[in-house]
């Protein structure tokens, strides 16, 4: 059963700066193989050009995936396919048994990093088994689980400034700009192929806050 609650006014958290330059390195991650399943539905909505390679993005040295193995909760109490722990288990394959499906309408999943961290990037794989675009994708970072104060780092809804994108094996890398927070919440509202909401994997790249 869906228990989606749209967030109240989300006050933007100030993005922290440590006051000195940090050595930067390219962000690298293990990428899944191409997985093609089913017949794709034509995409008629405007979107970014399809990603053809892993984007070049630098993060401070020592940055790691803080989400690996962390607890995941969701707005939908009755998951249709899979289990929420699969979202942070490191398996990015696009075949059956590797993804989680939540119900229809606006839904969210939330990762508890365990402690406050300085976050530089969030990477999400919804479903790359076929080309599709997910609607109303929004990613927020907060220090409290209720998200009364948070930083919105991506929003491709009608109210946001980001453009929808086509799902590929490269996922979607989102610049978190060093936001501080313990919780990461990701929203979606169905896609161009189905009305459900899927997740294969979410990575949160950062460092524990000093």
């Amino acid at each position: 059963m869906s228990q989606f609650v749209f967030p109240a006014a989300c006050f933007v958290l100030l993005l922290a700066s440590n006051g000195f330059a940090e050595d930067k390195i390219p962000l690298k991650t293990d990428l899944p193989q191409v997985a093609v399943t089913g017949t794709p539905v034509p995409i008629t909505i405007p979107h970014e050009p399809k990603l053809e390679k892993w984007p070049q993005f630098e993060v401070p040295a020592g940055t790691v995936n803080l989400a690996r193995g962390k607890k995941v909760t969701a707005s939908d109490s009755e998951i249709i396919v899979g289990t929420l722990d699969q979202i942070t288990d490191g398996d990015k394959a696009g075949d059956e048994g590797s993804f989680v499906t939540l119900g229809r309408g606006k839904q969210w999943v939330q990762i508890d990093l365990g402690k406050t961290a300085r976050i530089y990037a969030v990477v999400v794989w919804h479903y790359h088994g076929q080309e599709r675009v997910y609607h109303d994708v929004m990613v927020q970072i907060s220090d409290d689980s209720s998200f009364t104060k948070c930083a919105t780092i991506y929003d491709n809804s009608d109210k946001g400034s980001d453009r929808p994108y086509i799902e590929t094996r490269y996922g979607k890398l989102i610049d978190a700009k060093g936001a501080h927070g313990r919780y990461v919440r990701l929203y979606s509202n169905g896609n161009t192929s189905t009305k459900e909401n899927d997740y294969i994997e979410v990575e949160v790249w950062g460092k524990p806050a000093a």
Side-chain angles (χ1 to χ4, degrees):
M1 179 181 296
S2 175
Q3 297 180 338
F4 179 88
V5 178
F6 198 78
C10 182
F11 299 97
V12 176
L13 295 174
L14 293 178
L15 301 184
S17 172
N18 59 12
F20 58 88
E22 295 181 275
D23 292 335
K24 296 291 187 71
I25 59 172
L27 177 59
K28 296 180 180 180
T29 189
D30 293 330
L31 295 172
Q33 298 297 314
V34 175
V36 180
T37 59
T39 302
V41 175
I43 298 171
T44 59
I45 63 174
H47 55 76
E48 295 178 350
K50 180 182 175 181
L51 199 62
E52 300 291 349
K53 62 180 181 179
W54 177 250
Q56 294 183 342
F57 186 81
E58 291 190 332
V59 294
T63 297
V64 297
N65 175 21
L66 300 170
R68 183 67 180 269
K70 295 300 194 299
K71 181 180 179 180
V72 182
T73 54
S75 55
D76 193 346
S77 61
E78 297 181 4
I79 306 302
I80 297 173
V81 175
T83 56
L84 292 175
D85 61 299
Q86 291 175 273
I87 296 175
T88 58
D89 68 355
D91 181 1
K92 302 170 189 173
D95 51 10
E96 187 175 350
S98 297
F99 60 88
V100 178
T101 301
L102 281 67
R104 298 184 173 196
K106 292 180 179 179
Q107 302 285 355
W108 54 258
V109 298
Q110 181 171 305
I111 301 170
D112 180 359
L113 301 178
K115 61 178 64 176
T116 298
R118 192 174 181 204
I119 301 170
Y120 301 103
V122 174
V123 191
V124 54
W125 289 262
H126 284 283
Y127 183 78
H128 57 81
Q130 61 179 221
E131 291 188 3
R132 57 175 64 171
V133 171
Y134 281 78
H135 306 303
D136 299 333
V137 174
M138 183 165 61
V139 181
Q140 297 178 329
I141 296 170
S142 179
D143 251 334
D144 68 277
S145 59
S146 60
F147 278 71
T148 53
K149 293 183 179 181
C150 62
T152 298
I153 62 171
Y154 183 87
D155 184 356
N156 73 13
S157 70
D158 291 341
K159 296 180 180 180
S161 60
D162 298 294
R163 297 185 67 196
Y165 62 93
I166 295 176
E167 292 288 320
T168 72
R169 73 185 188 99
Y170 301 106
K172 178 62 175 178
L173 191 156
I174 299 165
D175 186 355
K177 302 184 185 300
H180 275 208
R182 170 174 170 173
Y183 302 90
V184 178
R185 184 180 287 187
L186 304 96
Y187 294 85
S188 60
N189 187 11
N191 60 80
T192 51
S193 292
T194 75
K195 294 185 181 298
E196 284 76 37
N197 299 274
D198 310 289
Y199 289 89
I200 291 177
E201 190 75 12
V202 177
E203 295 179 338
V204 179
W205 291 86
K207 296 180 179 182

